[in-house]
Amino acid sequence: MRSSRSSSPPEQQREIVGRLLESERYWTRLIEERRARPRDDLLSDLVKASQEEEPRVPLLQLINACAVLVLAGHETTTNLLGLCVYRLLSLPDQLRLVREDPANIPRAVEETLRADTSVQALLRAGSTAPDRSPPAPQAGYLAIFRILPSPAQ
């Protein structure tokens, strides 16, 4: 398999779509397993709640909620820790403050969250076209929202 970095944009797009479809199949299988055999876990609780709602929560919305929970719990924490270490190593005076007084660690983490978010973009699917012009996406569109650094940086 070729690296995404060496792929042309259409090849990279096909790879991304393929991975998204693979993820959708994975979550669909897990959700169906929990519908058939609930466990004492968060996914079973989400599946049960999605079936009790009126109107029922669509499968793709449930898949998105599951994926967001995994990303929120794993990726963001991992990336936050890496960014915090990188920032401290890049700013020796700040590293010194943390080393001299570990009570400064929460402030270093908060500053990293403010200055360098670990979430770079969000993906949303729409069921209706939004009110905007020109041009408005069609119903069923996918939108990627890029999170940009604050102007103060």
Side-chain angles (χ1 to χ4, degrees), residues 21-35 59-60 63:
L21 292 173
E22 182 181 333
S23 176
E24 181 181 326
R25 287 189 296 271
Y26 169 81
W27 285 111
T28 300
R29 189 180 75 250
L30 282 181
I31 289 166
E32 293 305 323
E33 285 176 8
R34 292 309 196 278
R35 281 189 179 134
L59 178 61
L60 286 177
I63 289 170

Side-chain angles (χ1 to χ4, degrees), residues 126-140:
S127 58
T128 60
D131 294 330
R132 72 172 252 241
S133 63
Q138 300 299 312

